[in-house]
């Protein structure tokens, strides 16, 4: 197999080496002592128990028949230094890059971002591997709804702007995510993002709005809980 074809068929798995082969057996002493695995699991638990973004997404997936179990659907692993997480559609599993996630706020954003991909996988049966428009749409939604492009995060990146800055951030981060996992030209990736941007940017499910801040996410979660209780009593 030539190198180009091998890259074409990789789908970004080279960024997650433990998806193919783990150095330590899961649960081994080596894993506990020589990786950030224990800290990763603690931060994950805190995220799914306290983050309104994550709690809403987990509830929405449960209501859609795709209940998420921490031990089955999350995996803390060492990854390439350029990524923080990923969604493995072949196993319906979220990968959290334990060697690159050092702070709780970062963990909360990564969990939310990847849960949006998992939610899309559940509700829309996304064709991740052969339909670039499906991939682009989910990346746009994840960048838009996860807090990746919040004012605080953009400020920390020294990115400033007023006129449609949020949209440009979403476009840029979606494009970067696609190029990380597909061996395609930047021009082709930009064309695909442009083709689906408007419809996917305005798809706010399951939040019902763009949660620009944790306060927005809390409001969205309370509304979700109210709807859930209402329909549960019918």
């Amino acid at each position: 197999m030539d190198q180009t074809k091998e890259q074409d068929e990789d789908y970004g798995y080279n960024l997650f080496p433990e998806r193919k082969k783990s150095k330590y057996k899961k649960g081994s002493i080596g894993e506990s002592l020589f990786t950030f695995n224990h800290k990763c699991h603690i931060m994950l638990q805190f995220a799914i128990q306290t983050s309104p973004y994550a709690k809403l997404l987990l509830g929405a997936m449960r209501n859609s028949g795709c209940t998420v179990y921490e031990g089955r659907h999350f995996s803390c692993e060492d990854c390439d230094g350029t990524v923080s997480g990923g969604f493995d559609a072949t196993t319906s599993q979220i990968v959290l890059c334990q060697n690159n996630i050092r702070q709780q706020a970062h963990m909360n954003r990564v969990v939310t971002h990847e849960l949006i991909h998992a939610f899309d996988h559940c509700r829309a049966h996304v064709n991740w591997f052969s339909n670039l428009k499906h991939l682009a749409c989910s990346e746009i939604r994840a960048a838009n709804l996860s807090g990746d492009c919040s004012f605080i995060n953009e400020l920390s990146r020294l990115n400033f702007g007023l006129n449609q800055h949020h949209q440009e951030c979403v476009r840029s981060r979606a494009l970067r995510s696609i190029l990380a996992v597909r061996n395609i030209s930047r021009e082709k990736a930009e064309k695909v993002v442009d083709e689906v941007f408007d419809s996917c940017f305005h798809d706010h499910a399951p939040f019902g709005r763009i949660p620009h801040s944790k306060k927005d996410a809390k409001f969205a979660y309370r509304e979700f809980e109210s709807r859930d209780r209402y329909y549960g009593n019918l």
Side-chain angles (χ1 to χ4, degrees):
M1 180 182 296
D2 62 50
Q3 186 177 3
T4 301
K5 186 174 181 181
E6 186 176 2
Q7 288 176 341
D8 286 344
E9 295 180 354
D10 185 74
Y11 300 111
Y13 278 96
N14 62 307
L15 301 175
F16 308 95
E18 290 193 27
R19 295 279 91 187
K20 295 181 178 179
K21 183 177 181 181
S22 178
K23 183 176 181 181
Y24 300 111
K25 183 179 178 181
K26 292 293 179 182
S28 69
I29 294 176
E31 181 184 63
S32 300
L33 291 178
F34 299 110
T35 71
F36 300 100
N37 190 265
H38 182 62
K39 181 180 179 181
C40 176
H41 281 286
I42 290 175
M43 289 195 294
L44 168 61
Q45 288 181 350
F46 191 82
I48 62 180
Q49 291 171 7
T50 66
S51 166
Y53 293 89
K55 289 164 68 176
L56 192 157
L57 284 159
L58 291 168
M61 291 187 68
R62 182 180 61 249
N63 288 354
S64 299
C66 301
T67 301
V68 175
Y69 299 99
E70 180 184 343
R72 161 65 181 87
H73 294 107
F74 291 94
S75 180
C76 290
E77 302 177 7
D78 286 337
C79 308
D80 180 277
T82 62
V83 293
S84 299
F87 177 69
D88 186 349
T90 61
T91 60
S92 297
Q93 198 167 47
I94 289 171
V95 181
L96 301 171
C97 298
Q98 60 197 16
N99 55 320
N100 298 330
I101 302 174
R102 307 296 176 83
Q103 298 178 341
Q104 187 63 52
H106 188 191
M107 173 64 81
N108 291 353
R109 289 198 306 275
V110 174
V111 167
T112 301
H113 184 110
E114 303 307 335
L115 277 174
I116 291 169
H117 291 321
F119 175 77
D120 289 346
H121 186 68
C122 169
R123 69 162 184 162
H125 305 292
V126 180
N127 190 338
W128 300 98
F129 301 109
S130 60
N131 192 320
L132 280 175
K133 289 184 179 181
H134 286 189
L135 173 64
C137 189
S138 192
E139 291 295 355
I140 290 165
R141 282 176 31 77
N144 189 29
L145 303 173
S146 66
D148 284 348
C149 289
S150 70
F151 175 76
I152 295 298
N153 288 329
E154 281 293 90
L155 198 62
S156 70
R157 300 176 189 126
L158 301 180
N159 291 332
F160 304 94
L162 295 175
N163 187 28
Q164 293 190 326
H165 182 75
H166 179 77
Q167 288 93 325
E168 289 309 309
C169 172
V170 170
R171 189 186 301 274
S172 173
R173 295 189 71 80
L175 180 63
R176 189 176 74 170
S177 294
I178 293 168
L179 290 173
V181 297
R182 293 294 183 273
N183 185 33
I184 60 174
S185 68
R186 185 177 183 86
E187 290 74 19
K188 184 174 182 178
E190 287 175 341
K191 182 176 184 294
V192 173
V193 169
D194 288 342
E195 286 175 351
V196 300
F197 188 83
D198 286 343
S199 60
C200 299
F201 181 81
H202 291 99
D203 180 0
H204 302 152
F207 293 93
R209 68 185 77 190
I210 300 175
H212 289 287
S213 65
K214 189 174 181 179
K215 183 178 179 180
D216 287 342
K218 286 181 177 178
F219 278 126
Y221 180 59
R222 282 200 289 267
E223 289 177 357
F224 171 80
E225 282 190 308
S226 296
R227 290 196 303 271
D228 199 31
R229 283 194 295 267
Y230 172 77
Y231 288 114
N233 290 328
L234 291 179

